[in-house]
Amino acid sequence: MSLYLLYESASGYGLFSADGIDEIGQNTEAVRTSVVDLNRFGKVVKLAAFTPYDSALDALNQCNAISEGQMTDELRNFLELTLPKVKEGKKPKFSLGVAEPKLGSHIFEVTKIPCQSNEFVLELIRGIRLHFDRFIENLKPGDLEKAQLGLGHSYSRAKVKFNVNRVDNMVIQAIFLLDTLDKDINSFSMRVREWYSWHFPELVKIVNDNYLYAKVAKYVDDKAQLSEDKLSGLTDIVGDEDKAKEIIEAAKASMGQDLSPIDLINVKQFAQRVMDLAEYRKKLYDYLVSKMSDIAPNLAALIGEVVGARLISHAGSLTNLAKCPSSTLQILGAEKALFRALKTHGNTPKYGLIFHSSFIGRASAKNKGRMARYLANKCSIASRLDCFLDASTNAFGEKLREQVEERLDFYDKGVAPRKNIDVMKSVIDTVESKGLNPLCFQNQLK
């Protein structure tokens, strides 16, 4: 059986024939050592046909199609014109070697041309790539490098532009940073408490909040100088005059040791850093809320901005989340527990990241699994609406949230919930009354 090799270069498609190779001679190691020598390699592999791309834009389109494992019309015409004809009812006497297995599968599905992609074929294609400029006649030195550089830049620009339009990347980065800030602020706050407690240990029991503790520690400074004159300022910080008086009284009878001025300066500076981080965390949370309202308004309205952002982050993108079935979304974030349960034949987890939703916490112990399954179903619908709807609205998310509330009442009190089709029809009517085109919603819901 003869072997043909398809090579996609930056300047066009090339079809090569590999002569004198049988299955016994398909030694990958031997080929790997012989492809470097053009004299030996050129006796086995020869150029059968070559078709250049029409333009730089055509080259980019062909490159995008190949990267996705799709055969274009131009490639199909090239293969049908250059490869031997296959008679109906007879087995082909040749096969086509390709670098991408997905592309080979698509070529076989459409044209019935047998394709193969293995280490032997990849080594032969590596040799073609190495000596490609020698096979093509009338190719000037540097032309191939210019074509590769231009196509590489175009392909990269197209991918970067695509990622810029996928603004869910900003949500992924924001939720990662938010979780990191929470850990850092908690760790730094504990350090401020431990550090300042050497000077004023009684303050820990009076002020529980980490942010308030840092503000009070910075304001009080030296406890020996704390008097009734600072009562108004302390009241403004803690928001309670009685608690402010308690702090002043505790400072008078404090058992803490005295600190030098340079030590107090360092404590104050560190407390200010913790306060700055806490304030930045609030701004970042507001940014995340605004981003989620633009990117996934229905998911945010249903399950909350933070949990919705964690789901998008864990899935990798909103599109990936929309492709997930509800059963996968239900245990998203609990993969280790799932595979451990499958390995030990134990009970599989009932929920993953959606456990942080208030609905799961409000459900009774026996209904947590049922509630998680129902909530995952609604989250899957909301993510698909956000991903594929043309018009942006949170009307569906609000109604889906009402459905989850009704299901919670049904589990607890036995109150029958509304049917899903009735709820969706009411949402479409509401959207239509606001002047939005309901057809785009109806097409997606079908």
Side-chain angles (χ1 to χ4, degrees):
M1 178 180 287
S2 58
L3 175 65
Y4 288 89
L5 300 168
L6 175 65
Y7 176 66
E8 312 91 2
S9 71
S11 55
Y13 290 115
L15 187 68
F16 294 81
S17 62
D19 300 326
I21 297 177
D22 52 14
E23 294 184 359
I24 299 176
Q26 291 185 5
N27 189 334
T28 306
E29 198 63 37
V31 174
R32 186 177 290 120
T33 56
S34 63
V35 293
V36 181
D37 188 2
L38 180 60
N39 293 328
R40 295 177 59 189
F41 187 74
K43 294 178 180 178
V44 177
V45 178
K46 297 179 180 179
L47 178 65
F50 176 77
T51 177
Y53 299 132
D54 295 335
S55 62
L57 181 60
D58 182 43
L60 178 60
N61 294 332
Q62 300 295 329
C63 183
N64 286 327
I66 291 170
S67 65
E68 295 173 1
Q70 299 296 318
M71 179 181 63
T72 60
D73 294 337
E74 292 81 2
L75 178 58
R76 180 178 180 177
N77 294 334
F78 174 66
L79 293 176
E80 290 178 346
L81 289 173
T82 53
L83 287 173
K85 303 296 181 182
V86 180
K87 295 182 180 180
E88 295 184 3
K90 291 190 176 182
K91 187 177 180 181
K93 296 182 179 180
F94 68 93
S95 64
L96 179 66
V98 295
E100 295 290 337
K102 290 183 179 180
L103 178 63
S105 300
H106 192 231
I107 291 173
F108 179 73
E109 289 175 5
V110 177
T111 63
K112 303 303 179 183
I113 296 174
C115 299
Q116 59 175 311
S117 179
N118 48 41
E119 289 187 12
F120 175 73
V121 170
L122 292 178
E123 287 300 325
L124 290 176
I125 293 177
R126 185 174 72 88
I128 294 173
R129 187 185 305 113
L130 184 63
H131 306 294
F132 182 72
D133 55 339
R134 307 286 183 89
F135 287 106
I136 306 299
E137 296 180 358
N138 301 324
L139 187 65
K140 297 179 181 178
D143 286 351
L144 184 61
E145 287 76 8
K146 291 179 181 178
Q148 291 172 343
L149 187 63
L151 180 59
H153 284 176
S154 301
Y155 185 75
S156 300
R157 277 196 300 269
K159 287 297 180 182
V160 169
K161 185 177 179 181
F162 180 69
N163 285 331
V164 168
N165 292 331
R166 284 177 53 205
V167 287
D168 55 0
N169 283 339
M170 301 300 105
V171 169
I172 294 172
Q173 298 301 326
I175 193 63
F176 269 126
L177 183 55
L178 198 67
D179 292 338
T180 305
L181 279 176
D182 286 336
K183 294 177 182 177
D184 291 344
I185 290 171
N186 186 54
S187 177
F188 294 158
S189 298
M190 293 299 104
R191 183 60 55 198
V192 170
R193 285 174 174 268
E194 184 177 349
W195 198 353
Y196 194 66
S197 291
W198 286 96
H199 180 62
F200 193 178
E202 293 81 8
L203 186 61
V204 174
K205 297 181 180 179
I206 302 173
V207 181
N208 297 321
D209 184 72
N210 290 333
Y211 180 70
L212 279 182
Y213 186 92
K215 289 188 74 173
V216 171
K218 182 176 180 295
Y219 181 77
V220 171
D221 194 10
D222 190 357
K223 65 179 180 180
Q225 298 178 2
L226 186 61
S227 61
E228 299 292 337
D229 298 337
K230 294 185 176 182
L231 179 61
S232 60
L234 207 54
T235 304
D236 293 337
I237 295 174
V238 298
D240 187 357
E241 187 176 352
D242 294 335
K243 185 174 287 188
K245 290 181 179 179
E246 186 179 356
I247 293 173
I248 293 174
E249 293 299 324
K252 294 177 181 178
S254 176
M255 298 295 292
Q257 67 180 19
D258 293 332
L259 295 180
S260 64
I262 188 64
D263 293 334
L264 286 172
I265 288 173
N266 280 279
V267 173
K268 286 173 62 179
Q269 287 179 344
F270 189 48
Q272 183 62 47
R273 292 278 186 260
V274 175
M275 291 162 55
D276 293 340
L277 280 176
E279 290 169 1
Y280 174 67
R281 195 261 180 207
K282 293 178 182 177
K283 294 179 182 178
L284 184 65
Y285 175 75
D286 294 337
Y287 166 77
L288 179 64
V289 170
S290 65
K291 274 293 180 183
M292 284 295 293
S293 64
D294 294 335
I295 298 162
N298 293 295
L299 186 62
L302 171 61
I303 203 171
E305 290 82 4
V306 175
V307 181
R310 285 201 176 102
L311 289 173
I312 293 174
S313 174
H314 199 83
S317 68
L318 181 60
T319 305
N320 290 346
L321 184 64
K323 292 177 182 177
C324 289
S326 58
S327 57
T328 302
L329 193 148
Q330 180 182 348
I331 58 170
L332 208 62
E335 289 83 0
K336 288 185 179 180
L338 173 65
F339 291 118
R340 183 171 61 247
L342 294 175
K343 186 177 181 180
T344 59
H345 302 285
N347 295 327
T348 55
K350 298 177 181 178
Y351 29 67
L353 291 171
I354 62 172
F355 176 77
H356 299 288
S357 170
S358 60
F359 297 115
I360 307 297
R362 288 162 55 191
S364 59
K366 65 177 182 179
N367 292 325
K368 284 187 183 294
R370 300 166 69 187
M371 198 67 219
R373 188 163 57 250
Y374 187 81
L375 181 60
N377 179 23
K378 297 304 176 186
C379 287
S380 180
I381 294 173
S383 62
R384 290 167 188 176
L385 288 168
D386 290 327
C387 184
F388 300 113
L389 281 183
D390 296 330
S392 178
T393 176
N394 65 345
F396 291 93
E398 296 289 348
K399 291 296 181 181
L400 290 173
R401 186 179 182 87
E402 291 178 9
Q403 284 188 285
V404 178
E405 294 280 1
E406 291 175 3
R407 183 58 60 131
L408 202 57
D409 292 337
F410 173 69
Y411 289 149
D412 294 339
K413 304 173 185 176
V415 181
R418 292 174 293 173
K419 291 185 178 180
N420 185 63
I421 188 170
D422 297 333
V423 175
M424 291 298 107
K425 284 182 179 178
S426 67
V427 180
I428 293 176
D429 293 338
T430 304
V431 168
E432 188 176 9
S433 65
K434 291 181 179 179
L436 296 175
N437 183 12
L439 292 177
C440 63
F441 301 109
Q442 292 175 352
N443 293 335
Q444 294 297 336
L445 291 173
K446 287 177 183 178

